[in-house]
Amino acid sequence: MGKSAGLTYRTIFLEEHGKLCNEDIQCILDKGICFRETGIMEKPVYLGIGPDMKASYFIGADWLDEKEGLSVVVHPKKEMENVDYFKMFMTCLENELSSDYFSLIYGIECEKKYINCARLQDQITPLLLIHYLTVLKRLTKRGLRKDYVLQEENLQCKAKGRVLTGENLRMNVIGRRLDRCYCSFHEYTVDSQENRLLKKALLFTARFIRKFGSHDSFARLSALTNSLLAQFENVGDEIEIYQIRRVAANGLFKDYNEAVILAKKILRRFGYSIEKVNRTEGGTPVFWIDMSRLYEVYVYSLLNRAYGKQILFQVKGYHQCSADFIKLDENLIIDTKYKPRYENGNKGIIDDIRQVSAYARDEKIISHLSDAQPYMGEYPCLIIYPEKQASDDLEVTRFNHEESLLQKARKINGFRNFYKLGVRLPVKI
């Protein structure tokens, strides 16, 4: 708790899937605040009230009542508290498919008042910046977009565009510089306000990345940042706040649209001042991360790296069903579950088994697996879960394209053709 200008601040701390204590529930009910997370495909919006209030797979921080100073902070599960999200983000962004999907994994609301909490680490800023670098990398492959920019210049021995009579009289005629002409004209150049915005956010990103000099991803991020800055060599970085707000996303250019939105978020995150990049005061912005979806995309990145086109991602079925992956050469239905309890046995996983069994019978999903002759047997199903690591064994999971997934998996007792496989996550050293 804390006090500021007569206002008492209170933060409710939760763990993923953790229930609120009776005191917190009563506080929320007394204020008439709604608290239920919506879950899949949406950010955590608090919609309902009741005695079983609890968090889901979202971690982050949000205001329950900003006027009353009541906030909620959701931490990772104890089993996952040492996970290195920085490395996970880096792995996820190796392929363009996961980058497009990545905006569904997290959200940040810099417009809201920041939350001050000593126990709250800034987990969202690195994610935002890495996402931005990946989008810029994809954008610059096609080259920076040019635009017509209005220029004013005192030209020598020629006139161009429109002569600005007043300025020309003051600067040239009165001073008898009759060889010059002050003109206004449009120039087709990469030095547009849009590109200046992107470069300014890139400079903020480069400054922030220096904080991770000891991290084993630093060299790779630093090299990427320097490469991108070279692409913006002919672009200035001077742009006023009012000009930043005027830069509009262009729906015709998908990468530019995404990059402009992210660049504005980065500049707002640091209050438009590069000097604030290395400061820790001021709290953390309202943010959320969908850990279940992040884990899903992380696993996809590992599978795609090893098996390539044999892995299909987010395979749509009937009635809004969707299998996380299928592996074509093994006729394998795969689903990820961000549930470490799979490591300790099969208790409490029957609902997941029913769900994945339905995918294996969905004709739209299995149509990707069937050959010319329909497969009349049972398609094998695999559930991938996060495996806890011993403190003396920090090796992450890697897949080999020469090795079958089913060879690595363990059978789930009592269920035919059902398997589970633990995937180790990177941890902080």
Side-chain angles (χ1 to χ4, degrees), residues 43 102-112 114 124-125 127-129 131-132 197-198 200-202 204-205 244-245 247 257-273 285-288:
K43 72 174 186 176
F102 207 58
S103 58
L104 300 174
I105 294 176
Y106 77 98
I108 180 171
E109 299 182 48
C110 298
E111 301 83 2
K112 290 187 177 181
Y114 283 17
I124 194 67
T125 303
L127 171 55
L128 174 64
L129 300 184
H131 187 189
Y132 181 61
L197 166 62
L198 300 185
K200 195 171 189 70
L202 182 57
F204 277 54
T205 302
I244 291 173
R245 290 169 178 163
V247 176
N257 185 31
E258 188 174 7
V260 164
I261 292 172
L262 292 172
K264 287 185 176 182
K265 286 184 177 181
I266 289 170
L267 297 181
R268 282 199 301 269
R269 169 67 186 95
F270 298 116
Y272 301 97
S273 171
V286 170
F287 76 96
W288 54 267

Side-chain angles (χ1 to χ4, degrees), residues 227-391:
S227 172
L228 291 171
L229 284 171
Q231 298 287 330
F232 283 84
E233 182 180 5
N234 297 320
V235 178
D237 60 356
E238 294 300 321
I239 183 170
E240 300 297 329
I241 294 177
Y242 77 91
Q243 294 174 319
I244 291 173
R245 290 169 178 163
R246 286 180 181 175
V247 176
N250 192 327
L252 295 177
F253 301 91
K254 180 181 177 182
D255 290 337
Y256 262 93
N257 185 31
E258 188 174 7
V260 164
I261 292 172
L262 292 172
K264 287 185 176 182
K265 286 184 177 181
I266 289 170
L267 297 181
R268 282 199 301 269
R269 169 67 186 95
F270 298 116
Y272 301 97
S273 171
I274 199 166
E275 299 303 321
K276 294 182 180 180
V277 170
N278 293 326
R279 297 178 188 171
T280 56
E281 71 269 14
T284 301
V286 170
F287 76 96
W288 54 267
I289 302 175
D290 186 341
M291 292 305 301
S292 177
R293 192 179 297 276
L294 174 60
Y295 179 68
E296 171 192 310
V297 180
Y298 175 77
V299 171
Y300 167 68
S301 300
L302 297 180
L303 293 174
N304 184 61
R305 182 191 298 172
Y307 302 112
K309 294 182 179 179
Q310 293 299 322
I311 299 293
L312 300 185
F313 178 59
Q314 284 296 308
V315 183
K316 303 296 182 184
Y318 289 105
H319 307 294
Q320 298 184 335
C321 288
S322 180
D324 287 347
F325 325 106
I326 59 178
K327 191 166 186 285
L328 299 176
D329 57 347
E330 293 189 75
N331 277 341
L332 183 60
I333 309 290
I334 307 171
D335 203 60
T336 55
K337 297 297 179 187
Y338 187 63
K339 299 177 180 179
R341 67 170 179 262
Y342 274 86
E343 184 72 13
N344 301 321
N346 303 328
K347 183 179 179 181
I349 65 173
I350 187 64
D351 288 339
D352 295 338
I353 291 175
R354 287 170 177 160
Q355 178 188 358
V356 183
S357 296
Y359 296 157
R361 286 159 177 78
D362 188 307
E363 293 179 351
K364 196 171 182 180
I365 292 176
I366 64 177
S367 66
H368 295 275
L369 299 175
S370 300
D371 298 320
Q373 296 297 323
Y375 181 68
M376 301 306 294
E378 294 171 336
Y379 288 106
C381 298
L382 175 66
I383 292 176
I384 296 181
Y385 64 93
E387 184 179 54
K388 290 183 289 185
Q389 286 153 277
S391 58

